[in-house]
Every structure is written in structure tokens, then in C-alpha cells.
Amino acid sequence: MSEDNQNYQEFFFGPAHPGSGNFSVKLKLEGEKIIAAKSIPGYLHRGFEKLMEYRTPMQNAVLSDRICVFEPLAWNLVHANAVEELMKIQAPERAKHIRVILAELSRIQSHFIWYGALSMALGFDTGFKLAFGYRDFILDVFESITGARVYPAGYICPGGVRRDLPEGVEEKILKTLEKIDEMRLWEELENPTFQARTKGVGVLKLEDALKLGATGPVLRASGMKTDVRKDDPYELYSNLDFDIPVEKEGDAYARFRIGLREIKESVKIIRQVLKKLPQGEIMEPSLANLAVPYNLPEGEVYVRQEAARGEAAIYLVSDGGIKPYRCKVRGPSFFHLLPVLEHLLQGEQIADVPVIYWSLNHCPADMDR
Amino acid sequence: MENKIQEKIYSQFGVEAKREKQRRMWLKIDQERLLDLLRFLNVLGFEELSGLSALDWPKQEKMELVYHLWSYQEKMLLSVKTMIARESPGIDSVVSIWGASAQIQEREIHELFGIDFPGNPDLSELFLEDYSGPPPFLKDFNWRKHYE
């Protein structure tokens, strides 16, 4: 019970909790109130940064899938961009368009997982099933294009993409976008219980958010208008028309609203890109033979992108060999699950732990790497 | 915008920030003046410590720390690099500047590279539970031997 006769209990949320994923938090409780929380990472630590030092960029493209289970294509893109920037090459225009379509579809399906999990945390099973059901339409598109539903095996690779779009897939994507629009049902499904459980829960103030390293939707829900796609554009984003949703409250409900509005913006982006999709090459010719290793020029780059969960970055260093000298992966969940979560849980009720936890749109895999 | 920042850094510290392309600058500084420079940059608007990374250079018997700083106002990334000795490596913590986001990144670097950060309140194990071997991200770490 306690060392110094104080009335508190220690309690683990995870790693075996059905809602926790590969992660746990040690909670110190006084009655039902949390007086301290300590995150315990490491359940998914696979040492990617070290593994990448022993592999060529094309092999690393396949590894980069696994950095985050929920959005492998986004991490494919960060890695591919890092290698291209180091080699001072650019992917062909058609490949860039395909990449943006996939990155945005990936963002939407990742946000669906977010809602599914948040609904589950609230005991709102219908929401969970709806979100995961609709996500499957997107996975079908991924299967047509990349050959796999979840892990594309380095489909977005240094130099372009591995295969051209199959015939008729544009049609399929447009139909999927209609399905996604159908998900506006969400707004109608927001019932008083949903709001009561999320409004005013887990409030993150802007100044705290900045100190704690929050990025992406979590930071935008606290009132900061920032998005790597706008502030530090990559691929086609400087030529696309979309808005950055911002909310002020910083609570679980605001974060939920951000994701919902971002899905709308992503749909807008995909429609624009599909309209402009050019014909042509899909791979930079010098890298087109995937089996031939190439030298990475000596140098270093830091590439940042906006993944669904926040700022995703790779610091790639080369000493001129065929393998990178160092590859540091910056996962947004590293900050959201460690300092941010520990900060938010303090003083909250134990029943709100799953809601706060899932409202952060995290992925233990990109935290542990 | 970028020129102004380059000038300010040069007039204060006499080092030149190299502009690599739009929104990317790199800067090298010696270990002694690092903390002053970082504090100065934080005041200039580099509010986010986007990434903290270490590099191991066994041939030169050096280690290198890289601080990737992002400014939300100027929309610019400035990477600050500094070399430290490889023998019992250590460098002052930047927790006083970037708070918890720096604390957790230094804790990770401490575990994976064995670099000490005096001033950091908690450098306990992070990913590697019950691990007592040498820091695994060093270049001379023999993973084959380690898992025999």
C-alpha cells in the first residue's frame, strides 16, 4: 500500500489492458484520483535506428514500414525523401502525385483507427465498429496499389514508387472518398455521453504543449496553427489548397474534432491530386533497378513531415558508403506518450485514463522504434 | 529572415550558420559555448527541440551531438552540432531551456550512447529494461558477441 503510511495505491494501466496496446503507465492513486503517472515504454523497441546502419536504403525502405503500425506509408515517405534529399535527386512528377494520394489516404485510415480506439475507450462500441469498417475500404485501395493491406513493403521507396497505379484504381479511390464522406455520420453520432466523457478532460495548455514537445493534431487542438505540410512543404503540398484545422480548448474533445476536420481536408487534397495526376515515369531512372545497391553521398539531412500523429522526422547521415552511417527516427508518439501523457494524467480520475490516452492519437511503435 | 538570424548569431558568437537551402541551416560550435548559444537561439524563437541525436566517431575518438531546432515563427530549422570527447562522454543538459521534451530525449541518448547529461533529473533506463551491457548504439558495439 505505501511506504510512509500515506494512503495511496499503485496501479498499472497496461501492458495487458485491452485498450493500452504495447505500452503501460504506472499510476499512483489516492482513491480514484491520480497523483502521479509514469510511462513505461520499450515493449516494441526493435532498434530500427541500429538495424538501418546495416542495410542499404532499399532494404531500409522496407524496414521503415514497421516504424508505425498504423501508418506505414507515411514513414515510407519520410525515409524515401531523406534518401532523395541526401542524393540530391527528385522523384518523377507522377510518383509524387501517387505518394501524396497514399500519404493522405494513410492519414485518413489512421484517423479512423484513432476514432475507433477512442470510442472503444468510451465504451462506445458502435463508433469502434463503424470506424474500422470504413477503414477497410481504404485498405482495399492500398491492396490494389501496393499489393498489401497494411505493410506496403517499401512501396514508396527512394527514387519514386515501386509500381504504377493499376488500371481503374482512380475510380476506386473516388468511390472510397464517397464512403469516407459518408462517415460524416460521426457528427450525428456524437451523443451527450460522448461529449460528457471528452469535454474538459485531459486539457493541454498551449505553453505546456510546447514545453512537452507536442506536435501535429495534439498541438493544433491546443490552439497552435502549425502543420509541416504548410510551414515546411515537401512533395506537392505547396501547390495544394487545404486548411489547417485549429481548436482552442486543448481537451480530448478538441483533439477529436481536429481529427474529424483533418479527414475532410485530406479528402480535399486527394481529389485535387487525382485531377492533376500526370502520365510518365514512376521511378528516377538511376535508381530504377531495385536490386543494385548504390552509394549514398557523404553528408547529412534532417527531413520533417506531417504524419497523422504529428511531426515525423528522419536524421540521415552518410559517410559515403552504401549504408547510412546513422539514421535517427523522430516519432511524434515519443513525446505524446512520455512527457505529454504523464503531464495530462496528473490529477485526473482513473476512469478517464483510457480517454486521455487514446485522445493523443499515439502509436507505441513509433515511440519505441 | 534567414540572413537576420545568421547575422545575430555571428555578432554574438562569431560562428557562421551555413544555409543549406530554404528553411535549413547548420551550425557548428564548441562544447563550452554550446549552452549559451542554445539559450540565445531559444530566445530568438527556436521553441521546439525537434530532435536530439548523437553520432559516434570512434576513429577520431569523438562523439557528436546534434540539436535540431525548429522555429514556429520564422519557419526554419537550425541544426546545431558539437563535438565531445568519446572517453566518458558528457555534456550539460538543456532541460533548463526546453523542459520535458529535452529531458526525455537526453534520457534516450544516455541509454543508447552512454552520454552523461549533468543537470538532467532522470536518466534512468527507458527502452532496455534490465540491460547492463555497453551502450548498444556505439559503432564498436559487437551485437554478435552480445547475443552469443
Side-chain angles (χ1 to χ4, degrees):
Chain A
M1 196 78 156
S2 71
E3 305 113 39
D4 37 21
N5 277 337
Q6 288 201 334
N7 221 3
Y8 69 77
Q9 279 179 304
E10 281 193 338
F11 179 88
F12 273 90
F13 174 79
H17 186 281
S20 77
N22 305 295
F23 179 73
S24 72
V25 201
K26 198 164 152 191
L27 305 169
K28 209 165 159 186
L29 295 170
E30 202 178 65
E32 299 222 335
K33 196 178 154 201
I34 299 159
I35 45 178
K38 189 152 180 64
S39 299
I40 305 171
Y43 296 97
L44 272 175
H45 181 64
R46 296 143 292 175
F48 280 140
E49 296 176 8
K50 187 79 176 172
L51 290 174
M52 284 180 170
E53 290 174 15
Y54 293 88
R55 283 163 178 77
T56 62
M58 191 53 225
Q59 292 172 316
N60 287 338
V62 181
L63 264 191
S64 70
D65 288 5
R66 264 77 176 172
I67 294 174
C68 177
V69 190
F70 298 151
E71 43 172 355
L73 282 157
W75 281 100
N76 263 193
L77 185 56
V78 187
H79 175 263
N81 268 188
V83 175
E84 286 160 6
E85 208 176 305
L86 194 62
M87 299 183 72
K88 298 194 170 53
I89 55 168
Q90 293 241 337
E93 277 304 304
R94 184 171 171 84
K96 280 188 181 176
H97 283 70
I98 298 174
R99 285 170 169 197
V100 172
I101 293 172
L102 285 174
E104 293 307 319
L105 279 174
S106 172
R107 185 183 320 278
I108 299 172
Q109 63 86 27
S110 171
H111 280 351
F112 279 171
I113 298 180
W114 184 10
Y115 295 136
L118 183 61
S119 307
M120 195 175 66
L122 290 162
F124 178 40
D125 253 17
T126 315
F128 171 75
K129 293 193 171 95
L130 256 177
F132 273 72
Y134 277 95
R135 173 177 175 251
D136 246 62
F137 290 113
I138 303 175
L139 297 189
D140 281 347
V141 174
F142 287 169
E143 192 179 2
S144 317
I145 299 176
T146 71
R149 285 159 49 81
V150 179
Y151 291 122
Y155 175 79
I156 298 176
C157 60
V161 293
R162 285 176 63 167
R163 293 195 299 183
D164 207 343
L165 294 178
E167 217 170 292
V169 83
E170 287 98 328
E171 199 90 324
K172 195 169 180 173
I173 296 173
L174 284 172
K175 274 198 183 134
T176 307
L177 295 184
E178 277 166 28
K179 287 280 178 198
I180 294 165
D181 284 337
E182 234 175 83
M183 273 289 283
R184 294 271 90 82
L185 278 173
W186 269 102
E187 277 164 285
E188 290 156 36
L189 275 173
E190 248 179 62
N191 56 27
T193 319
F194 190 96
Q195 298 194 7
R197 288 293 310 274
T198 51
K199 275 191 178 167
V201 173
V203 179
L204 184 62
K205 287 190 199 124
L206 182 57
E207 68 260 32
D208 292 335
L210 287 169
K211 277 272 177 225
L212 297 164
T215 51
V218 178
L219 189 55
R220 288 195 283 276
S222 296
M224 182 81 149
K225 189 162 185 172
T226 172
D227 188 312
V228 184
R229 289 174 295 173
K230 284 265 190 208
D231 297 348
D232 193 6
Y234 51 95
E235 297 291 330
L236 305 170
Y237 287 110
S238 50
N239 305 326
L240 295 171
D241 171 39
F242 63 99
D243 295 324
I244 311 172
V246 184
E247 302 270 343
K248 285 203 180 72
E249 292 77 12
D251 56 2
Y253 185 70
R255 290 192 278 276
F256 164 80
R257 296 293 307 177
I258 288 281
L260 195 66
R261 292 168 61 192
E262 275 183 21
I263 292 179
K264 227 175 180 170
E265 296 305 318
S266 291
V267 170
K268 213 160 105 187
I269 293 175
I270 298 169
R271 285 192 203 277
Q272 289 172 48
V273 179
L274 272 177
K275 259 186 211 150
K276 298 196 245 185
L277 186 67
Q279 294 298 321
E281 295 278 324
I282 50 151
M283 266 301 264
E284 151 71 34
S286 61
L287 302 184
N289 189 342
L290 301 180
V292 181
Y294 43 84
N295 280 332
L296 284 167
E298 200 178 328
E300 56 193 340
V301 287
Y302 190 72
V303 170
R304 306 161 74 237
Q305 291 187 0
E306 185 77 23
R309 357 198 85 68
E311 181 187 327
I314 282 185
Y315 174 48
L316 195 68
V317 183
S318 167
D319 61 351
I322 58 168
K323 297 164 188 170
Y325 190 79
R326 166 112 170 96
C327 179
K328 187 208 155 58
V329 178
R330 184 234 195 252
S333 306
F334 182 69
F335 299 88
H336 294 160
L337 278 185
L338 289 152
V340 175
L341 184 69
E342 284 176 4
H343 169 81
L344 286 185
L345 287 181
Q346 242 174 50
E348 295 283 348
Q349 297 292 311
I350 187 167
D352 287 333
V353 175
V355 178
I356 296 172
Y357 178 69
W358 280 106
S359 74
L360 291 172
N361 188 16
H362 63 269
C363 169
D366 85 51
M367 166 188 59
D368 285 344
R369 287 156 281 142
Chain B
M1 213 77 103
E2 285 160 358
N3 283 344
K4 250 189 207 165
I5 288 180
Q6 277 172 317
E7 270 169 35
K8 277 183 189 162
I9 297 170
Y10 191 79
S11 66
Q12 278 276 328
F13 294 89
V15 284
E16 203 182 331
K18 285 203 183 86
R19 184 179 180 278
E20 182 202 329
K21 58 170 197 173
Q22 202 186 5
R23 283 186 280 272
R24 286 288 182 288
M25 293 208 290
W26 296 83
L27 180 57
K28 277 185 187 169
I29 186 116
D30 47 68
Q31 188 183 348
E32 287 72 33
R33 290 187 298 166
L34 176 80
L35 214 60
D36 289 337
L37 173 73
L38 292 178
R39 207 166 275 134
F40 177 73
L41 291 174
N42 182 243
V43 175
L44 274 189
F46 288 89
E47 269 181 287
E48 187 200 5
L49 179 62
S50 169
L52 170 57
S53 178
L55 289 159
D56 182 22
W57 303 103
K59 273 184 207 147
Q60 290 131 285
E61 296 189 1
K62 292 276 184 201
M63 281 180 123
E64 194 167 25
L65 280 147
V66 193
Y67 299 79
H68 302 285
L69 315 174
W70 176 257
S71 165
Y72 286 110
Q73 297 147 29
E74 313 282 346
K75 307 212 185 320
M76 186 196 306
L77 189 94
L78 176 57
S79 301
V80 179
K81 300 172 43 142
T82 192
M83 286 281 192
I84 57 171
R86 196 165 186 266
E87 182 86 26
S88 58
I91 190 153
D92 287 335
S93 166
V94 293
V95 171
S96 58
I97 308 173
W98 283 285
S101 64
Q103 191 277 330
I104 196 72
Q105 295 189 71
E106 288 180 350
R107 192 171 149 200
E108 184 194 349
I109 299 285
H110 173 74
E111 177 168 62
L112 301 176
F113 286 88
I115 298 174
D116 192 26
F117 291 93
N120 188 315
D122 177 17
L123 289 173
S124 55
E125 62 185 22
L126 191 65
F127 300 134
L128 313 174
E129 201 180 358
D130 297 331
Y131 174 78
S132 57
F137 275 31
L138 294 183
K139 281 284 169 185
D140 52 11
F141 177 75
N142 188 339
W143 55 270
R144 284 192 177 84
K145 192 176 153 202
H146 190 77
Y147 287 102
E148 254 166 27

